[in-house]
Amino acid sequence: MIRNSTRRMRLVQRPRLRLTLHKRVYVATSFLSVLALAFVVFINLYDARQAFGAASGDYRTAATGNWNNILTWETYNGSIWVAAVATPSSADGVITIQSGHTVSVTANVTVDQVVVASGGTLTNSAATLTVANGTGSDIEISGTVNLNTGGTVTINSSAVISILSGGIYNYNGGSETTGAGWAVNNGGTYVHGVNGVEIPSGTWGSTSTLKITGVTSMDPDNCNQALGNVIYDCPSQTANLDFKDKLTIINGDFTVVNTGSGSIKFDKSSTNVTLNVAGNYYQTGGTLKMTNMGNWNVSVAGNFSLSGGTFIMAGSDGVPALTVGGNISISGGTLDMSQYTGNTASKGIGTINLSGNFTQTGGSVTETATQIGRGDIFFAKTGTQTFSITGGSITNTINFTVNSTTILDAGNNIFTGDGTFTLVSGGGIILGNSGGISSSGATGNIQVTGTRTFSTGGNYTYSGTTAQVTGTGLPSQVNNLTFNNSSGFTLTNSVIVASTLTFTSGNLTTVSDTITLGTAQSNTGTLSRTSGHVIGHIKRWFSSSTVSNILFPVGTSSYYEGANVSITSVPSGGTVTANFLDSMNSYYGLQIPDDGVMIGTIGRGYWEFSPGNSMSGGAYTLDLYANSLAPLMTDYTKMHVIRKAILADPWGVSGTHAAGTGSNAAPVAHRTSVTVWGIFAIGSAVGYPLPIELVYFDAKPSDNVVKCSWQTASEINNDYFTVERSSDGKDFIAVENINGAGNSSSTKTYSFSDENVSTGIFYYRLRQTDFDGTSTCSKAITVVMNESGEVSQVSIDKVYPNPFSESFAVSFNSPAREDVEITIMDVSGKIMSRDAMACEKGINRYGFRNPGTMANGYYYIRISSARKSAMQKIVKL
C-alpha cells in the first residue's frame, strides 16, 4: 500500500513541473524582451555618462573624416549628442577627437579647447590650423597629432599645447610657430621630424620624450631646456653637427640610435659646460663625439650602455670627462676615448669617472690618437664595484685607476691594453685569477703593458676558485690583506700587513717567505680568522703590555695547529715568528717529571717560536691546538706541553702545566707562566693519549750475528714488521717478519737476530705494514762485520732493569780486550758519574748504584773505548 501510494503521488506531481511548448516560447520571448530593455537602458546610461560634464556647444567626432565635413561631427545640445549642422571652430566649446577617429584638416580653421583623446588622431597636411588662446589648455593631446608637409600650425603666443601621457605630437614637415606655451607631460612625446628647425619652448616632464628624427644637415636650436627623455634617431643625416651649448639638461634618459653618415658633437662655446643626464645613456648606433675642441663634460646619473655605434670622447683637442653614477655596460660598438692628433701632454685625454660596475661582453674600448692621447678610467665608488670582461677588447693606451674609497672586484677578469694600472692608497682590489697580481708580464688579473702601481696603503683580497699565488705585484707591505679561497694560496714574497689580516677560507703556504702582522710595538695589527691558516712562518708584533689571545694561525695542509699566546707579564716588546712542522719528534730528554706524572712519550709535530726585534722578558700563557693528534687521542685532559730551545737539545719543560681542554676530536693543550720561547710539542705519560709510531730501530753486530731491536710507544692497525737487509743500501731483501700488536697504547719492544751474515758492510731497515696493506720504512742503519765475523766496535747489549730506582747493570760487547770508560749523564750533558774498567773480548758486565744525587728523570749511559763508543738512554724512577 505504501509503495503504490508513493508511485501515485509522483504521477500526480510530475505534470505540474512541465511546460507546454507554447509556454516555453512565451517565457523565452519575455526574457529576451527584458534583456533588450536592459541593454537599451545600459546604452543610454553609458551615453549619459559620456555626456556627463559636456556643455551645450561642445563638439565630438562621430566618425573619421575631414574637419570641414559636418558628417565628421556631432554636438551636445544640453541634453544629448546630436548630428552637427556646422563644423567646429574656436567660437565653440570643447572639441574632442574620440578614440578610433582620425580627423584631417583640409581647410583653414581656428580652434581652441581641442582634446585629442587616446586613440584619436588629428592630421594637418594641407591647410593652416590656428590655435587661439582660450581658457585652460588650448590643445590637449592624449592621442596623436601629425603636422606634415603642406600643413601649417599657427599658435597664439599665449596658447598652451599640452601633450599628456601617451600623447604624441609628430612634427614631420610643414611649419609651426614655437613661441607658444608647450607642456610635454610625463609619458608624452614630441617627435621633431624636421631639419634645421628649433625645438618649441615649454615645460618637459622628467619622463616626457623629445624624439629627434628629421635632422639631415642642421641641428635643431632651442635644446638648452630642461628636457625629459631625449632620443636621437636621424638615419638620413649627412652632416657632422655641433650642438655646442644647446643641450645641457636631460632629466630622463638620453638615447642615440642613428646619426646616418654624419655625427653629433658638443664643442663648448663657454667654460665648464656639462650635459647632465639624470637617467641613463643608451647608444645603439650612430656616432657621438663629446668634444672636438674644449672640455665639454657629460654626467650620467644612471647607467651608460653602448651596444652599437661609436662614442668618441676627446676629438682633435680637449680633455672631456664622462661621469657615470651607475654602471657601464658595453656589448657592441666602439668607445673611443681619444682621437687627439697633437702632442701637448695636457690635451687629448678622455676621462671616465665610474661609480658603478664595468661590464664588457663585446665591442671595443680603445683610443685612436695619433700621438700622445689616452683614456683614463677611474673606479670611483665608495664601496665595492665590479670589473667584468667576457667579450670584446680593451686596446691601446687606456689607464685604469682604483680610487681610495673603492674596492674593485676583478674576479677572474683580466685588465689588458697598453695603459697603466694604479691602485692608490686606501683603495682595494679583489683578485680571482690564479696568478694573483704580477708586477709585469701576462700573468694574473692585471696584464696591462704599462706601469703597474700597487700602493703599500692598498687593501688586497684573494678570492678565487682555484689555487692562487699572491704574485710579484703584491707589495712588501700592504694595509689590509684577505684570503678567501678554499683551494688555497702560495705566498710569492714576504709581506707585512699593517692593519688587518683576514683568513676567511683557505690555507696560505709561505714556502721560504714570512707573512708579518703589524709594523711596530705601537701598531700590532689585527687578525680576523674564520677558517684557513698559514703553512709556514707568520710573524706578529707585540707591544710592551699585557694582552690576551694573540693567535698564530699555523698548521699543515691537513690540520689546523693554531697557537694562542696571552701575555701575563710585560715583555720588552717586539716580534715573535711561529710555524708548525709536521715531523716525528726525537725522544731525547724524555722521561720528564711534570705535575706528578713522568712524560715518556711525545706526539708528532712541533711548534717553533722565535723572538725578534728585541722581544724579551715577560711571561705568557700558551694554548696549542693539537688537531693532528685527534685521530689518536684517548684522553685530551692528559696532554702536557714540553719545550726545548733548539732541535738538538733534549726535551724539558717551562712554566706550569694546565690540563688540556676541548675534546678528543679537537684537543687544546695549555701551559702557563712560560718565560722563554723555543720549540714546543705535546707529550704525555706512557700509555696515555699520544700514540706514536716507531720510538727507535737499531741494528748491532754481536757474536757473528746482527741483533735488530726496536720499540713502539703505541700501534694503530699494525699487522706486522719486516726486517730488511741490503748489501749496497739500495736493494733490500726481506729477512724476517715479526707480528705486530695490532692496536696498542703501551710501549712494545721487539728484537730479531740475523744469523746469515758474512763479512762486509750491510744496511738494515724496518718496514711496518698495516692491515690494509700500506707500509712505511725506517731509515737504514749501517752495520760493519770484520773478517772473522766479529764485532768491530763496542756496543751495549742491554740495560736492566730499565727504568731503575736504585741500581742497574749493563752488559756490553767489546771487540777486543781493552780499557773502557763508563759515563752517566743527564739530558743536558752534565756528568753524574764516571768510571773505568778493563774489559775482555766479548760480553762484559758493569753494575751501577745510585749515589743519591740523581733525581727522577731521563739519563744516558755511555761506554767509550778506542774503538768509538755506544750510548743508551735510561730512566730513573
Side-chain angles (χ1 to χ4, degrees):
M1 292 295 295
I2 295 175
R3 189 174 302 168
N4 291 337
S5 63
T6 303
R7 185 181 297 116
R8 188 180 301 115
M9 183 180 297
R10 291 175 179 170
L11 290 172
V12 171
Q13 288 178 338
R14 189 170 298 161
R16 294 180 182 177
L17 299 176
R18 295 175 177 174
L19 292 175
T20 64
L21 179 60
H22 173 75
K23 290 180 178 179
R24 290 177 186 172
V25 173
Y26 176 78
V27 170
T29 303
S30 299
F31 175 76
L32 291 175
S33 300
V34 172
L35 185 61
L37 178 61
F39 179 73
V40 172
V41 170
F42 170 78
I43 293 299
N44 289 337
L45 289 175
Y46 179 77
D47 190 65
R49 279 197 299 271
Q50 286 214 318
F52 182 77
S56 181
D58 288 350
Y59 276 77
R60 72 179 186 185
T61 55
T64 294
N66 293 331
W67 186 287
N68 61 343
N69 187 341
I70 61 172
L71 297 178
T72 304
W73 303 101
E74 57 185 8
T75 186
Y76 191 67
N77 64 7
S79 299
I80 60 173
W81 292 96
V82 296
V85 295
T87 57
S89 67
S90 59
D92 297 305
V94 176
I95 306 168
T96 302
I97 300 175
Q98 298 194 95
S99 178
H101 296 165
T102 298
V103 176
S104 300
V105 177
T106 57
N108 297 343
V109 64
T110 300
V111 300
D112 183 32
Q113 300 184 79
V114 176
V115 175
V116 182
S118 177
T121 302
L122 173 63
T123 299
N124 183 12
S125 303
T128 298
L129 177 68
T130 302
V131 181
N133 177 32
T135 58
S137 294
D138 299 293
I139 295 185
E140 201 170 83
I141 305 169
S142 295
T144 303
V145 172
N146 298 314
L147 175 57
N148 299 326
T149 301
T152 300
V153 175
T154 303
I155 307 171
N156 184 285
S157 60
S158 300
V160 177
I161 311 299
S162 293
I163 305 174
L164 305 180
S165 179
I168 301 174
Y169 187 101
N170 288 309
Y171 184 10
N172 297 321
S175 63
E176 69 177 13
T177 58
T178 58
W182 288 78
V184 187
N185 295 277
N186 287 336
T189 300
Y190 180 91
V191 180
H192 195 72
V194 292
N195 181 57
V197 178
E198 68 178 29
I199 304 297
S201 298
T203 58
W204 301 75
S206 60
T207 61
S208 66
T209 299
L210 167 61
K211 186 174 183 180
I212 301 173
T213 63
V215 171
T216 57
S217 59
M218 296 180 63
D219 55 282
D221 285 333
N222 204 29
C223 291
N224 55 340
Q225 305 179 60
L227 301 170
N229 300 313
V230 175
I231 299 174
Y232 195 94
D233 184 8
C234 299
S236 299
Q237 181 175 331
T238 58
N240 297 322
L241 303 179
D242 188 352
F243 274 69
K244 292 187 172 67
D245 298 340
K246 298 176 182 178
L247 191 60
T248 57
I249 299 175
I250 297 177
N251 289 319
D253 298 333
F254 184 20
T255 303
V256 177
V257 178
N258 203 328
T259 60
S261 61
S263 65
I264 55 175
K265 61 182 178 180
F266 300 96
D267 279 347
K268 73 182 186 68
S269 60
S270 59
T271 59
N272 300 320
V273 176
T274 299
L275 166 58
N276 291 288
V277 180
N280 305 311
Y281 177 85
Y282 300 101
Q283 186 169 351
T284 61
T287 299
L288 182 145
K289 183 181 293 186
M290 284 182 61
T291 183
N292 201 49
M293 298 182 64
N295 301 333
W296 182 280
N297 301 317
V298 176
S299 176
V300 179
N303 301 321
F304 179 98
S305 175
L306 178 64
S307 59
T310 302
F311 185 96
I312 303 167
M313 298 188 67
S316 61
D317 199 345
V319 284
L322 170 64
T323 300
V324 180
N327 305 321
I328 287 182
S329 174
I330 301 173
S331 58
T334 300
L335 173 59
D336 191 341
M337 299 187 69
S338 178
Q339 292 183 342
Y340 183 47
T341 57
N343 57 9
T344 302
S346 60
K347 294 184 178 182
I349 304 170
T351 299
I352 295 178
N353 298 300
L354 176 62
S355 295
N357 302 325
F358 181 98
T359 302
Q360 186 176 2
T361 58
S364 172
V365 179
T366 188
E367 54 83 18
T368 56
T370 58
Q371 296 189 59
I372 63 171
R374 69 175 191 265
D376 288 341
I377 299 178
F378 291 88
F379 296 94
K381 182 178 181 179
T382 301
T384 301
Q385 57 191 130
T386 62
F387 172 83
S388 173
I389 176 168
T390 58
S393 63
I394 299 176
T395 58
N396 298 334
T397 308
I398 306 298
N399 300 330
F400 300 94
T401 300
V402 182
N403 285 359
S404 61
T405 61
T406 300
I407 300 173
L408 181 62
D409 187 349
N412 195 30
N413 299 281
I414 297 174
F415 287 83
T416 58
D418 299 330
T420 64
F421 185 95
T422 302
L423 176 68
V424 304
S425 179
I429 187 167
I430 301 174
L431 305 160
N433 190 274
S434 60
I437 48 173
S438 57
S439 56
S440 62
T443 59
N445 279 99
I446 314 302
Q447 296 185 18
V448 295
T449 60
T451 303
R452 307 171 192 180
T453 304
F454 304 105
S455 172
T456 58
N459 307 304
Y460 301 84
T461 297
Y462 291 83
S463 185
T465 56
T466 60
Q468 294 178 270
V469 298
T470 56
T472 57
L474 184 67
S476 59
Q477 179 172 319
V478 300
N479 184 38
N480 297 318
L481 182 58
T482 298
F483 295 103
N484 183 20
N485 180 353
S486 60
S487 297
F489 320 86
T490 300
L491 194 65
T492 304
N493 50 266
S494 294
V495 62
I496 298 170
V497 182
S499 185
T500 300
L501 173 61
T502 301
F503 282 93
T504 302
S505 176
N507 299 330
L508 172 67
T509 301
T510 62
V511 193
S512 59
D513 297 304
T514 300
I515 185 168
T516 301
L517 179 56
T519 58
Q521 292 187 37
S522 59
N523 179 36
T524 58
T526 300
L527 177 70
S528 175
R529 177 184 179 273
T530 301
S531 178
H533 55 266
V534 175
I535 303 174
H537 293 82
I538 177 172
K539 180 189 294 186
R540 296 200 62 172
W541 274 91
F542 287 78
S543 62
S544 298
S545 62
T546 58
V547 61
S548 298
N549 300 319
I550 302 299
L551 179 65
F552 289 87
V554 294
T556 69
S557 59
S558 301
Y559 294 100
Y560 171 57
E561 308 283 354
N564 196 63
V565 175
S566 295
I567 302 295
T568 55
S569 179
V570 177
S572 63
T575 60
V576 174
T577 302
N579 69 315
F580 179 84
L581 290 96
D582 181 24
S583 174
M584 287 298 297
N585 281 307
S586 166
Y587 269 64
Y588 181 39
L590 304 180
Q591 308 270 331
I592 306 171
D594 185 42
D595 196 35
V597 300
M598 187 67 69
I599 307 302
T601 188
I602 187 172
R604 183 182 180 91
Y606 60 87
W607 292 260
E608 190 174 46
F609 296 89
S610 303
N613 297 95
S614 302
M615 179 72 173
S616 63
Y620 60 94
T621 294
L622 182 62
D623 308 318
L624 300 177
Y625 298 84
N627 290 308
S628 63
L629 301 179
L632 306 175
M633 187 64 62
T634 59
D635 189 348
Y636 65 91
T637 65
K638 292 185 169 56
M639 295 184 298
H640 288 249
V641 178
I642 59 177
R643 176 202 173 269
K644 58 183 175 182
I646 60 175
L647 281 177
D649 286 351
W651 288 105
V653 293
S654 176
T656 303
H657 169 69
T661 61
S663 65
N664 286 341
V668 184
H670 305 282
R671 198 82 185 177
T672 64
S673 303
V674 183
T675 57
V676 288
W677 303 97
I679 297 172
F680 295 83
I682 307 297
S684 72
V686 173
Y688 277 113
L690 295 176
I692 63 171
E693 296 179 358
L694 190 67
V695 175
Y696 70 86
F697 170 70
D698 198 9
K700 298 177 180 179
S702 177
D703 293 335
N704 298 320
V705 301
V706 175
K707 290 187 174 181
C708 301
S709 61
W710 62 97
Q711 188 180 74
T712 62
S714 63
E715 299 175 26
I716 300 293
N717 297 323
N718 181 21
D719 189 3
Y720 60 91
F721 297 99
T722 302
V723 178
E724 297 180 341
R725 183 181 67 222
S726 172
S727 59
D728 58 7
K730 297 180 181 178
D731 298 322
F732 286 83
I733 61 172
V735 177
E736 185 71 16
N737 288 338
I738 306 294
N739 290 332
N743 294 288
S744 171
S745 59
S746 61
T747 302
K748 300 290 183 181
T749 302
Y750 300 85
S751 64
F752 164 73
S753 294
D754 184 9
E755 300 177 356
N756 188 25
V757 185
S758 60
T759 302
I761 299 175
F762 296 92
Y763 304 88
Y764 285 83
R765 71 184 184 187
L766 185 69
R767 179 180 296 276
Q768 181 269 322
T769 302
D770 289 342
F771 287 117
D772 63 3
T774 59
S775 64
T776 56
C777 285
S778 69
K779 293 182 178 179
I781 294 176
T782 304
V783 176
V784 180
M785 299 293 288
N786 62 17
E787 293 181 357
S788 62
E790 298 176 344
V791 297
S792 60
Q793 64 183 50
V794 65
S795 61
I796 295 175
D797 184 37
K798 63 179 178 178
V799 177
Y800 52 93
N802 186 20
F804 74 96
S805 57
E806 294 184 356
S807 63
F808 68 86
V810 57
S811 65
F812 62 94
N813 200 349
S814 176
R817 184 176 181 179
E818 59 183 340
D819 293 332
V820 297
E821 181 180 80
I822 302 172
T823 307
I824 308 296
M825 302 173 294
D826 67 9
V827 293
S828 67
K830 179 181 178 181
I831 297 176
M832 309 300 298
S833 172
R834 178 178 290 167
D835 201 356
M837 66 175 286
C839 67
E840 300 295 330
K841 179 181 178 180
I843 297 296
N844 295 266
R845 290 175 176 81
Y846 173 81
F848 175 82
R849 179 172 293 277
N850 180 17
T853 59
M854 294 174 63
N856 292 345
Y858 191 11
Y859 297 89
Y860 288 90
I861 179 172
R862 182 177 65 192
I863 301 177
S864 304
S865 72
R867 299 172 183 268
K868 300 185 180 180
S869 63
M871 187 166 62
Q872 185 170 323
K873 66 180 178 181
I874 55 177
V875 180
K876 168 68 171 60
L877 295 177

